[in-house]
Structures are given as structure tokens and as C-alpha cells.
Amino acid sequence: MKSVVVFRIDRRSGVSTYLQIVRQVEQALRMGALEEGDRLPTAAQVAATTKVNPNTTLKAYRELERAGLAEVRQGAGTFITRTLAQPQSGPDSPLRASLAAWMDEARTEGLTGEDVTALFRSAFEVAYPDEAAG
């Protein structure tokens, strides 16, 4: 069992802190960085690294538990109960390699992170119109 997630909180994002934690865990699950059986950092560990109130982390973990992604084991910690990873989105997948190559090309062409985000959102809305609306 490993604990590999490090939370990054953007206080200017307009997204609640607990939801940022939930989304980062979901992202780590999709990318295969977290797997079933992995232990999440304790609320105290998260507080120490992010200055987030431990109750905020606990709220995020309860949300993950409600979604069936994690399990709180009294006295032992919070553990991942299932993955969201798809074989085609893992760290060694051809799709990820293609995306990484595209990102390198975008950077070489002088695009900023904001440019890439805008371009991605535009393409995403075309490819996934139902999901983009929500």
C-alpha cells in the first residue's frame, strides 16, 4: 500500500477546498496514480502540507466514501476501494503518449498554459457536447 497523492489547493479557483481534494483524488484514480488498497494521507498530513483545516479534508474523504471510492477504517486511515483508471488512460498508454507529445509541441510553439487550456476546452466541447454543458 502506498500513499502517493499530494494535494495542491488553489484558493483563487472559486472551487471549494474539499471539492478540490475530491477532484484530485478522482484524477489520481483515473490516471492510475492511486489504486485499490492505497492509503490516503491523514487529515493532519494534508493540513501540514496545504494549510487546509483537517475537517475540510475529512469532509472530502466522506464524499469519496459516499461515492464508493474510499473507505474510512477507524484508527487505520482512509483507503481507496476502487479505481477509475481505464487501460487507455494509464501512464503507459498510447493516448497519453500522444497527448504528452502534443503538449510538448504546444509549448515549443509558444502556447501558454492558459492557451492550451482554452484550446483543450474548445476541442472538448466539440467532442463531448453533453458533458461540456454540465
Side-chain angles (χ1 to χ4, degrees):
M1 285 182 283
K2 60 188 189 268
S3 178
V4 294
V5 68
V6 177
F7 298 112
R8 308 223 185 289
I9 304 303
D10 181 356
R11 291 175 182 9
R12 298 166 301 178
S13 73
V15 176
S16 64
T17 303
Y18 94 93
L19 197 51
Q20 288 184 53
I21 292 170
V22 169
R23 287 180 178 168
Q24 288 175 43
V25 169
E26 290 172 341
Q27 178 72 4
L29 288 169
R30 281 188 183 87
M31 301 313 297
L34 281 174
E35 298 172 345
E36 189 174 330
D38 288 346
R39 183 178 180 271
L40 292 173
T42 67
Q45 289 169 328
V46 175
T49 59
T50 64
K51 308 299 185 235
V52 168
N53 184 309
N55 289 329
T56 300
T57 301
L58 293 173
K59 180 179 180 181
Y61 287 3
R62 283 191 303 272
E63 179 64 22
L64 290 165
E65 188 172 33
R66 189 191 64 71
L69 299 174
E71 172 185 51
V72 177
R73 298 180 195 156
Q74 222 42 49
T78 303
F79 295 85
I80 297 299
T81 55
R82 70 180 176 98
T83 184
L84 295 174
Q86 301 290 324
Q88 62 270 38
S89 66
D92 299 328
S93 78
L95 285 175
R96 185 177 176 116
S98 295
L99 182 57
W102 183 87
M103 295 289 245
D104 288 342
E105 185 178 342
R107 183 183 298 250
T108 300
E109 293 294 322
L111 272 67
T112 66
E114 288 181 359
D115 295 335
V116 169
T117 299
L119 188 55
F120 172 82
R121 284 195 177 131
S122 174
F124 179 83
E125 288 169 4
V126 170
Y128 296 93
D130 295 338
E131 293 181 45

